Amino acid sequence: MISSLATQAPLPLAYYRNSPSIYKTKPSTYFPRFFSVKTLSFPLFLNPSTNTSTSKAKIVFNLQGFLGPISSPAIRPLCSKSGEVGGMASSLQNQDSISYLTQREAAEIDETLMGPLGFSVDQLMELAGLSVATSIAEVYKPSEYNRILAICGPGNNGGDGLVAARHLYHFGYKLFVCYPKRTAKPLYSGLVTQLESLLIPFLSVDELPVDLSKDFDILVDAMFGFSFHGSPRPPFDNLIQKLVHLHSCGQMQHKSPVIVSVDIPSGWHVEEGDVGGQGIKPHMLVSLTAPKLCAKKFSGPHHFLGGRFVPPTIAEKYKLQLPQYPGTSMCVRIGKPPQIDISALRENYISPEFLEEQAEADPMDQFYKWFEDAVVAGLKEPNAMALSTTGKDRKPDGSTMGPLEAPAPSGILEKIWELFKKCLNFLKNFAFPSTKYEIRAFNLSSSRMVLLKGVNKDGFVWYTNYESRKARELSENPHAALLFYWDGLNRQIHGL
């Protein structure tokens, strides 16, 4: 469904210099100014799973203006990042440079933490469970992976799973817990009471569905940790086989639950890994304190390290090489993230219908309204916008640029303007390569993210540098395009 709306309002696009180092848009004093809302369009999407009609709206503004003459021949550069929106950088930890613990070393470190270093079991369990929960939330968002079953064993690994379940509940997931062999110690009884107070269901082994893939999106394997010896006994042997069976079935199904193992995939040898290759194949492994030797055999897509509590004395004694945790995070990824099938990335947009009659009569009023909504919603940098410019031969929409209808400057302004154009021609001829491909690229549209610094009835304001590419292109071709995109609201505004 496409609707149209046309109206007229003044909105120029021009540049002026207001200080030795900052430049911004301003109405030209002698160049024409045109503005019109070209179309208001919003295609309707149908979500087949919910049969819900959804919409995305796009307001298209037509902006025409002219680059005003420079008030001074002096041109000074800005900082290279001034006004630009920087991207986020993330460092990946090379797993070959990370230390791996033997079973004996892992036990000794736990004893030291809970002995001379003064940690209690419940402290370490709380930190470990929080690390598991944040690792899961880092990859599997509750909007897509909402139903979680935590399968908890009788020892500390099971306690980590109970703590993780509590945190995941508060993160917005729907939790279920299978805790078949409960430990009578007060610590574990308290964890159960905390989950029961949140009305989290506890399922017995008999109450579990035969096919776990139909009822759960994530299965947390918190049955056995690094201190486990021997072969799993009932009912855990059967539970492990259920998870193993899911892996083989998942290869034939379009979507099966993901398995997250806490510290050690249950049933694996702590040092040798999945001996025989018939064990659990988790999609995510959350190592605690430091990875155990079996983690080298982990081949799933997501390996995280949690438990941000290792003191320097322990790291020095065992010569631990551990990654730096980013910011205040309780987990850090080890190794490279999996390769992503770009064609499979798809969001189902569910938002209220937006009809033509709901739009403001004045397009600027509509912009103010949506911009305020983006600010109130707490979206990151709601004033970020994509600015597209192009060379002298074309507009940003790809059409050929027609003759400019504007009176030519006169007097000293004309001389300054001519000098500036000669400088630009010199830069293009001598400072830039001149192969046929690069000449063509010079005249194509270019885009970058900038920050809106002001808006009023006269236009949009942003800062730039006269020596930047966008300034050079705007000096030749005053046609530009702006795009605001507010992901959290499923809205965008596009101005030409």
Side-chain angles (χ1 to χ4, degrees):
M1 177 180 176
I2 305 293
S3 300
S4 298
L5 175 68
T7 185
Q8 297 273 338
L11 189 63
L13 180 64
Y15 279 77
Y16 83 110
R17 170 178 160 172
N18 70 334
S19 74
S21 61
I22 293 181
Y23 305 85
K24 66 179 182 179
T25 56
K26 184 184 178 182
S28 166
T29 55
Y30 59 87
F31 292 121
R33 298 178 281 184
F34 307 98
F35 171 79
S36 66
V37 174
K38 193 174 182 181
T39 56
L40 171 63
S41 61
F42 48 100
L44 293 179
F45 299 88
L46 190 64
N47 183 344
S49 62
T50 60
N51 199 29
T52 302
S53 190
T54 61
S55 65
K56 292 179 70 178
K58 179 177 73 174
I59 296 182
V60 181
F61 297 96
N62 185 28
L63 294 166
Q64 294 182 358
F66 207 85
L67 178 67
I70 306 171
S71 59
S72 168
I75 301 177
R76 300 184 184 182
L78 296 172
C79 296
S80 59
K81 298 296 183 183
S82 178
E84 305 282 345
V85 181
M88 292 188 299
S90 62
S91 59
L92 299 174
Q93 306 296 335
N94 184 351
Q95 68 183 67
D96 292 333
S97 64
I98 303 294
S99 298
Y100 292 80
L101 300 177
T102 65
Q103 188 175 38
R104 180 183 57 80
E105 289 171 334
E108 288 179 358
I109 289 176
D110 260 18
E111 290 174 3
T112 304
L113 288 170
M114 290 183 287
L117 294 182
F119 284 88
S120 62
V121 177
D122 50 337
Q123 278 182 312
L124 296 178
M125 200 172 285
E126 186 67 30
L127 292 170
L130 178 58
S131 300
V132 172
T134 55
S135 298
I136 292 173
E138 184 81 14
V139 176
Y140 303 111
K141 304 307 177 186
S143 57
E144 297 180 30
Y145 298 84
N146 185 252
R147 303 165 302 170
I148 300 180
L149 172 65
I151 306 176
C152 301
N156 290 349
N157 197 267
D160 296 342
L162 294 174
V163 173
R166 171 162 42 82
H167 286 292
L168 288 167
Y169 169 87
H170 290 296
F171 290 172
Y173 296 87
K174 185 176 182 180
L175 264 296
F176 301 85
V177 175
C178 179
Y179 188 28
K181 295 287 186 180
R182 300 194 181 189
T183 303
K185 295 179 180 179
L187 169 60
Y188 296 89
S189 299
L191 293 176
V192 170
T193 301
Q194 293 164 19
L195 296 178
E196 289 176 338
S197 71
L198 299 174
L199 303 181
I200 294 175
F202 279 77
L203 305 177
S204 67
V205 175
D206 294 334
E207 291 174 320
L208 292 178
V210 176
D211 185 1
L212 297 177
S213 64
K214 295 181 180 179
D215 294 80
F216 307 108
D217 303 308
I218 300 175
L219 302 171
V220 177
D221 161 30
M223 289 179 273
F224 302 117
F226 66 81
S227 60
F228 179 77
H229 296 273
S231 299
R233 294 191 297 268
F236 298 105
D237 55 349
N238 181 50
L239 290 170
I240 290 175
Q241 286 308 308
K242 278 181 174 285
L243 300 187
V244 172
H245 179 69
L246 273 178
H247 175 73
S248 58
C249 290
Q251 293 177 337
M252 298 180 288
Q253 296 176 354
H254 178 66
K255 182 180 179 181
S256 62
V258 297
I259 300 173
V260 178
S261 289
V262 178
D263 205 22
I264 305 288
S266 295
W268 280 30
H269 189 282
V270 179
E271 297 176 3
E272 298 176 13
D274 184 15
V275 179
Q278 303 300 315
I280 297 174
K281 304 292 190 299
H283 302 81
M284 173 186 283
L285 174 62
V286 184
S287 295
L288 298 173
T289 308
K292 314 310 179 282
L293 276 175
C294 67
K296 289 189 174 183
K297 306 294 180 64
F298 171 70
S299 59
H302 306 290
H303 186 192
F304 280 82
L305 176 63
R308 194 174 183 173
F309 48 72
V310 178
T313 53
I314 292 225
E316 294 170 3
K317 178 179 178 180
Y318 292 92
K319 297 181 172 55
L320 296 182
Q321 297 294 325
L322 299 177
Q324 293 291 324
Y325 287 82
T328 57
S329 178
M330 291 298 297
C331 62
V332 59
R333 182 184 286 276
I334 298 175
K336 296 181 179 179
Q339 291 189 346
I340 298 174
D341 179 9
I342 297 177
S343 64
L345 296 177
R346 177 71 176 91
E347 287 282 345
N348 290 323
Y349 295 100
I350 301 177
S351 55
E353 216 175 28
F354 184 71
L355 303 176
E356 179 179 343
E357 54 266 26
Q358 295 174 323
E360 300 292 331
D362 187 331
M364 289 306 297
D365 290 339
Q366 186 68 52
F367 173 82
Y368 289 131
K369 182 177 180 180
W370 278 9
F371 184 80
E372 182 178 349
D373 288 346
V375 173
V376 172
L379 301 186
K380 184 178 181 180
E381 293 189 322
N383 59 330
M385 61 183 184
L387 168 65
S388 297
T389 56
T390 189
K392 63 181 179 181
D393 296 334
R394 292 189 178 277
K395 298 180 182 178
D397 62 1
S399 60
T400 304
M401 181 177 170
L404 294 172
E405 299 177 1
S410 58
I412 186 63
L413 293 179
E414 179 181 11
K415 293 181 180 180
I416 295 174
W417 188 241
E418 290 300 323
L419 177 61
F420 181 64
K421 289 194 293 184
K422 288 180 180 179
C423 291
L424 284 179
N425 288 330
F426 174 82
L427 289 174
K428 282 198 299 182
N429 292 331
F430 295 97
F432 293 95
S434 57
T435 68
K436 62 179 180 180
Y437 303 106
E438 288 157 329
I439 290 175
R440 181 185 177 193
F442 187 83
N443 289 320
L444 293 179
S445 298
S446 62
S447 301
R448 77 287 292 159
M449 298 300 294
V450 298
L451 292 176
L452 180 71
K453 293 298 184 182
V455 59
N456 52 48
K457 63 183 180 63
D458 294 321
F460 294 88
V461 178
W462 70 90
Y463 298 164
T464 188
N465 177 347
Y466 269 139
E467 294 182 352
S468 67
R469 176 174 177 176
K470 56 183 175 292
R472 293 195 304 269
E473 290 179 343
L474 284 168
S475 68
E476 291 188 341
N477 181 355
H479 297 276
L482 301 178
L483 173 65
F484 292 86
Y485 175 61
W486 298 300
D487 176 63
L489 301 176
N490 296 336
R491 293 174 178 174
Q492 62 179 345
I493 290 181
H494 178 209
L496 275 178

